[in-house]
Amino acid sequence: MAGLVLKGIGKSFGPVEVLRGIDLDVADGEFVVFVGPSGCGKSTLLRVIAGLEEVTSGTILIDGQDVTTERAAERGLAMVFQSYALYPHMSVYRNIAFALENMRLPPAEIEARVRRAATMLRLTDYLDRKPGALSGGQRQRVAIGRAVVRDPKIFLFDEPLSNLDAELRVATRKELAGLHAEIGGTMIYVTHDQVEAMTLANRIVVLNKGRIEQVGTPLELYNRPANLFVAGFIGSPRMNFIRGQVTPEGRLVTPDGKVTLPLPAGHAPGAEITLGIRPEHVLPAGGEAPDAILTVDLVEKLGSEAYLYGTLADGTALTLRSPLEDPARRGDSLPIRFERQRLHLFDAAGLAIRP
Amino acid sequence: MSQTGSPPRAIPRDSLASRLIQGIAGLADRPMAWIQHAVGGRGMAYVFLGPNILFFGLFVFLPIGINMAMSLTGGTNLFLSERPFIGGDHYRSLMQCGSYLDPASCREDHFWKGVSNTLKFTLFQMVAMVGTALVTALVLNRKIRGRGFFRAVYFFPVLLSPVVVALIWKWILQRDGLLNGAITLAGGEKILFFVEPGWAMFWAVFVSVWAHMGFYTLILLAGLQAIPADLYEAAEMDGTKPMRVLTRITLPLLWPNLVVVLVLVLIKAVQTFDEVFVLTGGGPGTATLMVVQYIYETAFANQVQNFGLAAAASMLLGSVLFALTMLQLWIARRKAA
């Protein structure tokens, strides 16, 4: 296994700049997840690392060696594709053994490696079948087996669970976590599903418009987002944002003056600030003095909890997560308060204001 | 109803064209209602199929029947009613051979020469056609400059009439043609392409491949483009060498298309007539005489027009083509399944 260093990676397709100045260190044995909205460049970055796309600028180091100009096959990486990319005319055994045959390993060793991988991935009973005779989950395991058997320096996963149904996705996610714990390899995983990112990653890399917005552990990103983009992207339902200006009394007032909210001390009067608060940190005021009144537009009852979607007096949309089964009805005016320790503040440029 | 929800190319309901179409369609309403009343709902299917069945019967099945009857009758009269029934005499005379490998030992030596030439032509043409179509498709499937232009250029000869193709090449290959002009300019001696049997067969195959390769290239190209690109990327990640990619991934996945092409080429080669006939006239001697040319000449071009013998040869050729077509259908259906 090996570490990976990306220095100033840039990639353009004609005039379109897809990746800009990507710098990243991935430690040996780390599970790093790239997340971001569609078109943010996460899959391109993975393909650049794999050697399937050439970089326009920058350097790629694997295990300290510059592999920027090396072909994909020479980098010693293995990739699991979104579509599995199994050879449909070959049996499961042949699919897993194919790369080993390319390496001209002795047949006995190929057999041993394939059997070991098949046992690990519970594929022993399917070795003679063609991919067309397997379920989606089994095909995914074959694709993983094809990667595992090569003993690569780094595993690359390109949205490997996106073709699976919800139940199978959860099961395969657990298997992947187990696989990482078992073989301890360096893994780089691309997804747009933040639950996958949060549950699998040692560290998450949030990408937007070809740039890295933030790199950190899942909880770092959740609790201390570096900017508005990360704050809005990580977490579901997304964080609530209320834009306003600091009053001379040190409170936040919305542009139309209809909503005034408390702020921690230390902000200059007149400063443009965006207050962010996650739905689970917006609470019904109960007996306490409310910070604002939420007019409920929609209630989603999920059994274990409920989401209230509503608007404040100035029209700002706000979501509240309640542990109660049936906390309010559509049209209710609900007094709410914000957990003071959980407020996120961002300056006019959208960067987090740290206390 | 709002027009916004309509498909973009739909004719607006109240337009003149729409009213015209509705008016014309309306003319058929009464007769169709009357027919449906007469034959019932189920019978309508046959009413709609009827004209096509009639057309097929008149121009396909009836001629096959007449041909079959013709092959069992003798004489030189064209009308069946004036021809005496002779049973399988024509078939017997076609099959009467000292050795099937030696056309000269056969009673109908030209027929067997045609069979032998057609077999040779088919074999050479299949190898050359499938080989060149495959290589061309593989090249045109790559991201090369001017790919669209080359695809059009290779397909262009398919659009030409076989007679035009043969005439173009005849002008190029004849004694004082373009090619011999170039050879002479280069200091070489003229080659009599249509006098030497080997050259004549070579050019018959070559011209046929040149004229039809574009069609088969297109089929193979479609097959190549149906192979998902990520399989090649997976192969690249697996460190697969280009030749191994070709033999272990591309060709096995292209195999169903290749088989279809093989069978289509085979059927077309067995039917070959017009191109070779215009190009070489079956010569020199009978060096490029094909079975279909034999049938044509026996029935229409010889001084004694032996319709019965030609019909019997047609039936034999037809049964070979029928078997090949069944093979092609079986393969196509297996592929679809």
Side-chain angles (χ1 to χ4, degrees):
Chain A
M1 292 299 152
L4 169 79
V5 177
L6 303 178
K7 288 182 186 171
I9 296 296
K11 173 70 186 171
S12 300
F13 292 104
V16 183
E17 210 177 350
V18 181
L19 296 174
R20 308 157 200 228
I22 302 280
D23 292 306
L24 181 69
D25 277 18
V26 178
D28 188 1
E30 201 175 11
F31 198 132
V32 170
V33 177
F34 295 168
V35 287
S38 295
C40 70
K42 54 189 187 296
S43 283
T44 306
L45 183 57
L46 193 79
R47 291 170 60 81
V48 159
I49 295 168
L52 296 173
E53 300 283 356
E54 286 177 16
V55 294
T56 310
S57 60
T59 312
I60 303 168
L61 303 172
I62 294 174
D63 234 0
Q65 283 196 319
D66 187 347
V67 298
T68 317
T69 54
E70 280 186 9
R71 290 174 49 238
E74 292 159 353
R75 297 187 185 189
L77 313 180
M79 184 154 164
V80 176
F81 292 81
Q82 183 176 2
S83 62
Y84 320 131
L86 301 179
Y87 307 121
H89 55 296
M90 295 184 198
S91 66
V92 169
Y93 183 98
R94 285 267 154 250
N95 262 284
I96 299 176
F98 191 66
L100 305 178
E101 288 168 1
N102 289 341
M103 292 155 74
R104 295 177 182 276
L105 293 183
E109 189 179 342
I110 292 175
E111 164 115 28
R113 282 206 203 186
V114 173
R115 300 258 168 223
R116 200 163 51 232
T119 307
M120 186 166 73
L121 294 160
R122 290 178 286 113
L123 288 168
T124 316
D125 294 340
Y126 310 108
L127 286 175
D128 294 330
R129 289 199 195 169
K130 298 263 176 72
L134 300 178
S135 69
Q138 287 163 343
R139 283 183 212 180
Q140 189 53 267
R141 294 212 297 273
V142 176
I144 294 169
R146 198 167 63 176
V148 168
V149 80
R150 289 179 51 201
D151 195 14
K153 291 178 183 167
I154 299 173
F155 289 93
L156 307 173
F157 295 91
D158 187 8
E159 306 208 29
L161 309 186
S162 59
N163 287 344
L164 304 180
D165 62 46
E167 197 179 337
L168 203 53
R169 204 153 47 210
V170 174
T172 315
R173 203 170 69 207
K174 281 188 203 160
E175 284 177 7
L176 275 173
L179 182 76
H180 183 242
E182 192 176 335
I183 60 177
T186 309
M187 294 185 176
I188 299 175
Y189 188 105
V190 165
T191 182
H192 62 266
D193 182 336
Q194 48 177 291
V195 179
E196 274 173 38
M198 298 291 282
T199 51
L200 286 171
N202 297 134
R203 280 195 305 155
I204 296 176
V205 177
V206 182
L207 287 150
N208 182 33
K209 295 177 183 167
R211 288 186 194 282
I212 292 180
E213 294 282 352
Q214 190 175 1
V215 182
T217 65
L219 288 181
E220 267 170 18
L221 297 190
Y222 193 79
N223 294 324
R224 293 173 61 80
N227 53 41
L228 273 173
F229 177 82
V230 177
F233 190 77
I234 299 290
S236 179
R238 73 196 294 268
M239 185 184 279
N240 299 298
F241 295 115
I242 304 158
R243 285 183 53 230
Q245 208 169 30
V246 181
T247 63
E249 296 80 35
R251 292 173 67 85
L252 183 78
V253 62
T254 54
D256 60 3
K258 288 184 178 171
V259 179
T260 311
L261 297 167
L263 277 181
H267 299 287
E272 297 279 346
I273 280 184
T274 301
L275 182 149
I277 179 98
R278 294 205 181 276
E280 61 270 32
H281 301 140
V282 181
L283 310 169
E288 296 181 43
D291 291 324
I293 304 293
L294 179 73
T295 306
V296 179
D297 298 327
L298 176 70
V299 181
E300 280 182 355
K301 295 169 195 167
L302 304 179
S304 61
E305 60 191 11
Y307 292 121
L308 306 184
Y309 298 93
T311 45
L312 299 181
D314 70 327
T316 302
L318 194 124
T319 308
L320 178 155
R321 194 174 90 185
S322 167
L324 302 176
E325 266 187 22
D326 194 6
R329 302 256 148 89
R330 185 170 186 270
D332 283 356
S333 291
L334 188 69
I336 54 169
R337 63 185 182 81
F338 300 151
E339 274 193 59
R340 296 289 186 274
Q341 309 89 317
R342 299 293 195 161
L343 294 179
H344 300 268
L345 299 173
F346 303 93
D347 63 17
L351 298 175
I353 303 169
R354 302 285 186 215
Chain B
M1 197 182 98
S2 159
Q3 291 300 315
T4 50
S6 307
R9 293 178 68 102
I11 301 169
R13 264 191 181 188
D14 53 352
S15 71
L16 183 64
S18 169
R19 273 179 291 174
L20 202 65
I21 292 168
Q22 280 173 14
I24 294 168
L27 290 177
D29 280 355
R30 270 177 183 276
M32 290 312 284
W34 181 81
I35 296 170
Q36 189 167 353
H37 182 73
V39 299
R42 283 171 173 271
M44 285 306 283
Y46 297 100
V47 170
F48 286 117
L49 285 173
N52 211 17
I53 289 174
L54 192 70
F55 189 84
F56 239 73
L58 270 176
F59 294 101
V60 178
F61 296 118
L62 184 65
I64 290 176
I66 292 173
N67 196 64
M68 177 78 170
M70 200 74 118
S71 73
L72 301 173
T73 56
T76 53
N77 277 321
L78 186 60
F79 297 107
L80 272 176
S81 56
E82 294 164 11
R83 297 174 61 85
F85 180 77
I86 58 164
D89 281 3
H90 288 312
Y91 293 96
R92 271 189 288 279
S93 84
L94 281 173
M95 302 305 285
Q96 200 176 326
C97 257
S99 160
Y100 289 118
L101 296 175
D102 178 16
S105 70
C106 300
R107 180 168 165 187
E108 286 301 326
D109 57 340
H110 278 200
F111 172 71
W112 285 100
K113 184 68 183 167
V115 169
S116 160
N117 286 340
T118 304
L119 279 177
K120 264 190 238 168
F121 177 84
T122 302
L123 186 72
F124 294 145
Q125 202 230 31
M126 259 176 70
V127 173
M129 184 80 87
V130 176
T132 38
L134 179 62
V135 171
T136 312
L138 286 170
V139 173
L140 292 180
N141 195 40
R142 299 178 76 93
K143 287 178 187 162
I144 53 168
R145 280 173 77 92
R147 183 165 66 164
F149 170 76
F150 285 114
R151 282 181 185 176
V153 163
Y154 281 103
F155 189 73
F156 182 68
V158 177
L159 305 175
L160 295 176
S161 147
V163 175
V164 173
V165 167
L167 284 174
I168 291 170
W169 281 97
K170 202 169 179 176
W171 288 329
I172 294 172
L173 300 170
Q174 63 195 356
R175 184 189 171 93
D176 296 319
L178 203 66
L179 187 55
N180 270 326
I183 291 171
T184 316
L185 267 179
E189 287 207 7
K190 282 182 182 175
I191 303 171
L192 303 178
F193 293 116
F194 297 131
V195 174
E196 292 179 33
W199 275 119
M201 180 59 92
F202 169 82
W203 285 113
V205 172
F206 179 91
V207 169
S208 173
V209 170
W210 181 85
H212 303 290
M213 187 195 71
F215 176 68
Y216 302 108
T217 300
L218 212 64
I219 296 177
L220 294 178
L221 198 56
L224 285 173
Q225 287 179 349
I227 301 174
D230 55 11
L231 290 188
Y232 290 110
E233 290 182 344
E236 200 178 335
M237 294 297 296
D238 283 345
T240 319
K241 296 215 157 47
M243 188 47 80
R244 199 166 143 82
V245 171
L246 178 69
T247 56
R248 298 296 299 273
I249 296 170
T250 305
L251 290 183
L253 291 176
L254 192 63
W255 184 241
N257 293 64
L258 264 174
V259 174
V260 168
V261 164
L262 269 169
V263 177
L264 286 177
V265 170
L266 187 67
I267 291 172
K268 189 95 177 136
V270 172
Q271 291 173 312
T272 293
F273 169 57
D274 36 14
E275 263 157 25
V276 180
F277 182 66
V278 175
L279 187 72
T280 67
T286 54
T288 55
L289 175 84
M290 304 291 158
V291 176
V292 182
Q293 187 183 338
Y294 165 82
I295 293 168
Y296 163 72
E297 286 177 347
T298 305
F300 306 111
N302 289 351
Q303 278 199 329
V304 179
Q305 296 182 328
N306 195 340
F307 298 121
L309 191 63
S314 282
M315 292 309 294
L316 291 178
L317 182 67
S319 34
V320 171
L321 287 172
F322 181 75
L324 291 174
T325 307
M326 288 296 112
L327 177 70
Q328 196 252 328
L329 279 176
W330 179 71
I331 290 165
R333 281 184 188 154
R334 219 172 59 137
K335 189 187 163 194

